[in-house]
Amino acid sequence: QVQPVESGGGLVQPGGSLRLSCTDSQHTFAGYAMAWFRQAQGKQREFVAALRWSGGNRDHADSVKGRFTISRDSAKNMMYLQMNNLKPEDTAVYYCAAGRPPWGLRSDTSLYYYWGQGTQVTVSS
């Protein structure tokens, strides 16, 4: 089983950028759907973006389309979330997750089996 580990969070001003990374040094993500979720304080965990590791499918939540981009580097077993034009409402703990959901249910948190510990992203001036 995979054990995702996130990195790259931090404090950034509105309009700034961050790149989050997710990897597992022991197990490949091949065969999984990989996703980013986030959870703001006092709110439910919400879908941000997903991709199929072994295919071309990618998707982003409407709230981040045009600002965030999910990508992967198979050779390095790394997944990324490039976040541009960050807004205060993007402040949350961001989680990397792995699972095998049907692509039509890619935003369903209950279908992801393996989760990272999360990385804090704070957007504030």
Side-chain angles (χ1 to χ4, degrees):
Q1 63 185 44
V2 297
Q3 293 181 306
V5 177
E6 307 95 339
S7 61
L11 173 64
V12 64
Q13 292 186 342
S17 297
L18 280 176
R19 188 177 78 162
L20 305 183
S21 300
C22 175
T23 190
D24 180 339
S25 61
Q26 303 284 335
H27 308 95
T28 178
F29 291 144
Y32 286 95
M34 299 296 298
W36 291 99
F37 290 84
R38 66 186 181 186
Q39 188 166 18
Q41 194 168 6
K43 295 187 177 181
Q44 288 190 330
R45 195 168 296 189
E46 66 173 359
F47 171 77
V48 176
L51 58 77
R52 283 198 189 280
W53 196 261
S54 303
N57 304 76
R58 301 187 189 194
D59 186 40
H60 300 79
D62 287 343
S63 59
V64 305
K65 277 181 181 174
R67 301 189 297 123
F68 292 11
T69 303
I70 190 171
S71 64
R72 60 158 171 72
D73 184 331
S74 297
K76 296 181 179 178
N77 202 45
M78 294 283 287
M79 182 175 71
Y80 304 102
L81 185 68
Q82 178 66 43
M83 305 186 294
N84 298 328
N85 191 21
L86 282 159
K87 303 175 181 180
E89 52 263 42
D90 295 318
T91 295
V93 178
Y94 284 71
Y95 296 91
C96 172
R100 293 192 172 95
W103 187 245
L105 298 176
R106 57 194 173 275
S107 63
D108 188 335
T109 58
S110 68
L111 299 180
Y112 289 85
Y113 314 133
Y114 310 110
W115 293 81
Q117 80 288 351
T119 186
Q120 176 71 45
V121 171
T122 302
V123 185
S124 174
S125 55

